[in-house]
Amino acid sequence: MVDASDVLPSGDVLALLDADPQGWAFARAVRVGGEIVDFRLEYLNDAGARYLGRARGELVGRTYRELWPETVNDDTLPLYRGVVVTREAVTRTVYYDRPSVSGHFELWVGPSGDGFAARFVDLRTVTLGPQSTGGTRLYEVLDAAFDGFTLLRAVRDADGVVRDFVCEYVNAPGAALTGRDVEETIGRRWSELAAPGGAAHGLLERWKDVAETGRPWREQLRYEHIGQVWEIGAAPAGADAVAVSFRDVSAFVGQQERLEQAVAAARRAAGRNAALQAVTSALVAASTTADVYAAIGAVLRPSAGGQGLAVLLRRDDELVLRYHAGYEPLVVERLQAVPLRHLYPATTVARTGRPRFLSTLREFVAAQAGDPAPMPSGGRQAWAFLPLAAGGDVLGTLVIGYGTPHEFDDDERANLAVFAGVCAQAMQRALLFEAKLSIAGELQRALLPADLPQVNGLRHAARYLPWTHGADVGGDWYDVIPLGEDVVAVVIGDVVGHNATAAAVMGQVRNALRAYAAERHSPSVVMQRVNRLLLDLQPDAVATCCYLELHLAEGTATAVLAGHPPPVMRAGTTADTLVLRAGPPLGVAAEIAYSETTFLVPGGANLLLYTDGLVEDRRYHLDDGLADLRKAVQAAPSADPRDMLEYVLTAGVGPQPRTDDVAVVCLAVDASAVLPESPTAQRRFRGDAVSASAARRFAADVLGAWGEHRLADDTLLLLDEVITNAIQHTVGAVVVRLELRPARLRVTVADRSERLPNPRRAGADSENGRGLLIVASVAAAWGTEAIPAGGKEVWFEVARTP
């Protein structure tokens, strides 16, 4: 017998592991006749006991079959046995929801003596934190945002009444509301942060009302005693959480007030009134820099009476030309980039923030005296150089040129300053809007695959069409996941909502689905595990999904739907919506068994996967949208995925104009794909109780697709007996293979056990033991074969009737 000293490391190492926040365990192999049949737990640290939800004393010294009997049939024990035998470490992700253990674990298992060492962590405790990829991206975006952001978790008393909130996240602008830095704010109660006289004081009741009623709140609050104005908004963020955004708008409000005063004074000047109103109206409606430039050119230039106009904005240590009108090409070329050290008057205005008025060409020349490369006048005789100042920053200089000498009186100078102030305010709003839009776009692009992998025998193309505006982010996603030679998974989905939370959930679902698919779970199991994970991470989130597993060498595919519209397939000259077994959306309920559908995908076929925004909204019925889509796919002149997508998206499919984001993936199976002489179809099943029914559905689908309905009754009866026998008497996954030969259908069930089936005569009162006798009686032939790499195959044949 091998004792624990062959498995455990030194006492110093164990002391380090005792303090590790990750779970650690060491187990020793239990052998019978030299073969590993179980493992005994020899060591477990405190973190591991917390993750497993039981005391160390209840676990150490007992075998895995005693502690977790479910591991016998879920590949866990074979995994550990493989590590000990091969001496190679492995990593895997598992999800358990059982009486003996519950959690979503990431495992590293490596050999240790005559046993193994395992490091594990419950992903539910880290997925939403900055340690995860999706969390890091989201927090980076929030940290770079212009607005302050805080996530507060409600603290309730024994009666369930909200009494306080704990700050779970805050970015740097958000911490400014409390007068502290980020480190001093996170983890503290709001009642501790809201010091009397501070901006945060008096807001606790607002947060309580949002948490209790579920109604969002937004208001601009003025704090006279500290001379600040804050725009604050709060909205519910799931159960017992409130998301708060705020911004110090003191400078903006002050500028607005000063602008209103200036506008009022300007309106008193009868000769300037109409012009100022026209400029203000045009710029208030502008939301982008292009809109601002268009308004400046169309309204400001004629209102100011200038014959030339240029907008120069600061960039590092130079002024860059962003807009011009009425200037000659030579002047435009020179204004493209002007160093701030140049003596051109626009640079002085940008540095000092003070306007400058030149009434004659002589003054213009004198202003640049001594500069080795003075700026040409371009036929102008007078200039107004006006600072574009907003929020205490000088964005650049607005230059207005006049074709004749021009004297600027006090009223005109004041009026031009007002013009420039209005332009600067509009410019700043437009720049902030475009910056937020850029952040939203970067987040969306970060969560969608940058490039889809190339797959032999399959061409693909994908498009994402955002409908949302500003800093909103959609929850549509897609992915292509190679799973091995000639096998690829294609997935598309949609998280309900258009905000950062929806985008974060989308990233979590996509990453979890990719991880489960890479472990080669069947499509239905992938969907079930993602559903449970979503309920654990975001109980209020709902998502739809279509998961498609293509077996290119067989010409088959298996699909699972979770509340998602079915794909459309074009084969030959016709296009049809696939008829698939459908399940509810992800996140609706935990105990959902998703069902698969297997169908044929002939060479040269196209498959189109899409989100519902393409075919329906509240105004447009789904049936009408699907009819549009089938018609467009069938009429597409080219089978190339890119060309077909372009045609479908411009063919008027679904609601017009669109009111939702759209994601579309188009697949094209090579027409030259060489299929085996005898049609085959093979799938892998987990080896648990539900695998028998899943295998029967797979076989029934394949036989129906092959047109062999007459073989279904006998085949499904025999398959049920053989796969049930494999599940009951072996450990691990089973593989079912169907091969349609000229005279017979051959069905093979393979497993990892080398124990051969032993037909025996059952007693009159026995409830089992007759399975192989049924196989021998009904099958045209049957037998068993050993697999050279380990395990066995049990096969049977059913005669094909003419």
Side-chain angles (χ1 to χ4, degrees):
M1 176 179 291
V2 181
D3 61 26
S5 63
D6 293 304
V7 175
L8 298 178
S10 67
D12 292 340
V13 173
L14 290 179
L16 292 174
L17 296 183
D18 283 339
D20 197 323
Q22 301 181 89
W24 279 92
F26 288 81
R28 176 170 59 85
V30 177
R31 298 177 180 268
V32 174
E35 182 179 355
I36 298 176
V37 297
D38 204 348
F39 290 87
R40 177 169 284 105
L41 186 64
E42 300 288 355
Y43 169 82
L44 180 70
N45 68 353
D46 288 335
R50 287 196 302 272
Y51 286 139
L52 297 176
R54 299 169 69 178
R56 296 169 70 175
E58 297 177 15
L59 303 173
V60 175
R62 300 177 65 185
T63 68
Y64 272 65
R65 290 179 182 267
E66 293 173 331
L67 295 171
W68 303 291
E70 302 92 344
T71 60
V72 176
N73 293 318
D74 68 356
D75 282 353
T76 302
L77 282 180
L79 173 75
Y80 298 157
R81 185 185 300 115
V83 170
V84 177
V85 173
T86 64
R87 315 303 294 172
E88 293 180 359
V90 298
T91 301
R92 70 180 296 188
T93 302
V94 297
Y95 179 93
Y96 294 127
D97 187 9
R98 301 166 178 168
S100 60
V101 60
S102 175
H104 180 231
F105 298 99
E106 181 182 82
L107 297 173
W108 173 90
V109 185
S112 179
D114 190 34
F116 66 85
R119 184 189 68 223
F120 56 98
V121 63
D122 189 344
L123 294 179
R124 294 180 299 182
T125 65
V126 300
T127 303
L128 287 177
Q131 300 90 338
S132 67
T133 302
T136 300
R137 290 173 178 164
L138 181 58
Y139 284 123
E140 287 175 350
V141 170
L142 292 175
D143 288 340
F146 295 95
D147 291 348
F149 181 83
T150 298
L151 183 63
L152 304 174
R153 182 70 59 183
V155 177
R156 297 181 181 270
D157 61 17
D159 298 324
V161 177
V162 177
R163 296 300 184 187
D164 207 344
F165 291 83
V166 173
C167 178
E168 291 195 344
Y169 169 79
V170 66
N171 61 1
L177 181 67
T178 65
R180 296 174 169 83
D181 59 21
V182 173
E183 289 76 12
E184 293 177 317
T185 305
I186 293 178
R188 301 278 295 277
R189 292 198 174 201
W190 189 264
S191 57
E192 302 171 1
L193 300 170
H201 184 66
L203 294 175
L204 181 59
E205 296 304 318
R206 302 281 193 184
W207 310 155
K208 290 180 181 180
D209 183 72
V210 172
E212 296 287 2
T213 66
R215 293 192 299 267
W217 166 80
R218 179 172 293 276
E219 191 172 339
Q220 197 173 90
L221 301 179
R222 182 184 296 270
Y223 297 90
E224 299 289 354
H225 59 291
I226 58 176
Q228 291 181 342
V229 181
W230 288 80
E231 184 181 81
I232 304 175
D240 277 346
V242 173
V244 181
S245 63
F246 34 84
R247 179 193 296 176
D248 182 355
V249 295
S250 306
F252 179 76
V253 171
Q255 292 160 7
Q256 283 186 318
E257 293 172 349
R258 289 190 296 273
L259 178 60
E260 291 170 358
Q261 294 171 0
V263 169
R267 286 176 177 172
R268 289 192 293 268
R272 317 281 189 188
N273 188 43
L276 182 58
Q277 288 181 343
V279 171
T280 304
S281 298
L283 292 175
V284 165
S287 60
T288 67
T289 53
D291 295 338
V292 173
Y293 299 145
I296 289 175
V299 181
L300 177 58
R301 181 185 170 202
S303 299
Q307 285 73 49
L309 187 144
V311 175
L312 299 164
L313 298 185
R314 294 192 64 158
R315 185 182 67 187
D316 299 329
D317 57 352
E318 62 183 4
L319 288 178
V320 179
L321 181 66
R322 294 303 188 191
Y323 175 79
H324 65 89
Y327 272 101
E328 296 78 5
L330 174 63
V331 179
V332 171
E333 183 179 355
R334 290 291 308 277
L335 289 177
Q336 290 297 324
V338 185
L340 285 176
R341 65 178 182 274
H342 196 284
L343 296 181
Y344 182 52
T347 63
T348 304
V349 172
R351 292 196 306 267
T352 65
R354 293 191 295 271
R356 190 168 181 183
F357 301 92
L358 305 178
S359 299
T360 65
L361 178 59
R362 178 179 295 181
E363 293 178 9
F364 180 78
V365 172
Q368 300 184 82
D371 196 293
M375 198 68 62
S377 64
R380 253 125 316 263
Q381 300 288 317
W383 292 262
F385 296 92
L386 308 167
L388 293 170
D393 295 327
V394 179
L395 305 178
T397 303
L398 174 64
V399 183
I400 303 175
Y402 299 81
T404 59
H406 186 83
E407 292 294 334
F408 299 90
D409 59 29
D410 291 342
D411 286 343
E412 186 175 9
R413 294 186 181 210
N415 192 65
L416 289 174
V418 173
F419 282 168
V422 174
C423 291
Q425 293 287 342
M427 188 76 66
Q428 186 181 58
R429 289 196 303 271
L431 291 171
L432 289 175
F433 175 80
E434 291 177 351
K436 287 186 176 182
L437 186 63
S438 175
I439 290 175
E442 288 296 326
L443 176 59
Q444 187 76 56
R445 286 188 289 273
L447 293 174
L448 288 175
D451 295 300
L452 296 177
Q454 299 299 313
V455 180
N456 290 332
L458 183 71
R459 291 171 295 150
H460 51 67
R463 290 280 297 277
Y464 172 74
L465 304 177
W467 172 80
T468 50
H469 300 283
D472 289 339
V473 187
D476 295 31
W477 91 94
Y478 56 84
D479 208 350
V480 175
I481 311 167
L483 298 179
E485 187 176 0
D486 298 322
V487 182
V488 60
V490 182
V491 61
I492 194 165
D494 183 6
V495 177
V496 175
H498 296 96
N499 49 47
T501 300
V505 172
M506 178 262 280
Q508 292 166 344
V509 171
R510 175 177 171 265
N511 291 337
L513 193 146
R514 174 175 276 270
Y516 291 135
E519 291 180 347
R520 295 307 306 271
H521 295 295
S522 65
S524 59
V525 173
V526 170
M527 203 69 77
Q528 289 164 10
R529 294 195 173 192
V530 171
N531 178 58
R532 291 170 182 166
L533 179 63
L534 180 60
L535 285 166
D536 282 344
L537 298 179
Q538 294 284 352
D540 296 330
V542 175
T544 68
C545 184
C546 172
Y547 181 92
L548 186 67
E549 186 178 277
L550 282 165
H551 293 250
L552 299 171
E554 298 177 355
T556 67
T558 297
V560 175
L561 294 181
H564 201 85
V568 172
M569 182 168 72
R570 184 173 83 170
T573 60
T574 61
D576 291 300
T577 305
L578 293 173
V579 179
L580 306 176
R581 299 180 181 93
L586 301 171
V588 173
E591 300 303 323
I592 295 177
Y594 291 95
S595 297
E596 304 168 352
T597 306
T598 300
F599 55 94
L600 301 185
V601 182
N606 288 102
L607 282 164
L608 195 80
L609 290 75
Y610 52 94
T611 53
D612 63 346
L614 178 66
V615 293
E616 69 169 340
D617 65 7
R618 288 177 294 179
R619 303 171 291 111
Y620 208 84
H621 195 275
L622 175 61
D623 291 341
D624 296 329
L626 291 177
D628 293 345
L629 182 58
R630 288 192 297 269
K631 181 179 178 181
V633 172
Q634 183 167 318
S638 172
D640 178 79
R642 293 182 183 274
D643 295 341
M644 181 171 286
L645 277 187
E646 188 65 29
Y647 182 85
V648 169
L649 293 175
T650 56
V653 173
Q656 303 292 330
R658 303 200 189 282
T659 58
D660 197 1
D661 298 352
V662 173
V664 192
V665 178
C666 185
L667 311 174
V669 178
D670 287 353
S672 60
V674 179
L675 298 179
E677 182 177 347
S678 298
T680 61
Q682 175 178 298
R683 295 294 186 271
R684 179 179 181 269
F685 299 94
R686 278 193 299 177
D688 54 14
V690 299
S691 295
S693 59
R696 288 196 302 272
R697 282 193 296 270
F698 161 67
D701 288 344
V702 172
L703 291 176
W706 285 343
E708 297 292 337
H709 300 280
R710 290 174 296 180
L711 305 181
D713 290 343
D714 288 348
T715 301
L716 298 183
L717 172 64
L718 297 174
L719 176 60
D720 187 63
E721 296 295 341
V722 174
I723 196 171
T724 300
N725 189 67
I727 292 171
Q728 289 179 344
H729 300 292
T730 62
V731 174
V734 295
V735 177
V736 177
R737 177 183 175 87
L738 281 71
E739 181 180 358
L740 190 63
R741 297 179 176 180
R744 294 180 176 181
L745 169 71
R746 186 182 181 98
V747 180
T748 304
V749 178
D751 59 57
R752 298 181 184 179
S753 173
E754 298 180 359
R755 177 183 174 185
L756 299 178
N758 182 25
R760 56 187 176 86
R761 185 170 299 278
D765 298 329
S766 177
E767 295 181 358
N768 51 36
R770 298 179 177 84
L772 294 179
L773 297 178
I774 294 174
V775 173
S777 299
V778 177
W782 80 283
T784 62
E785 296 177 6
I787 301 175
K792 68 175 182 301
E793 292 180 344
V794 178
W795 58 269
F796 64 84
E797 294 181 347
V798 178
R800 299 176 64 186
T801 56

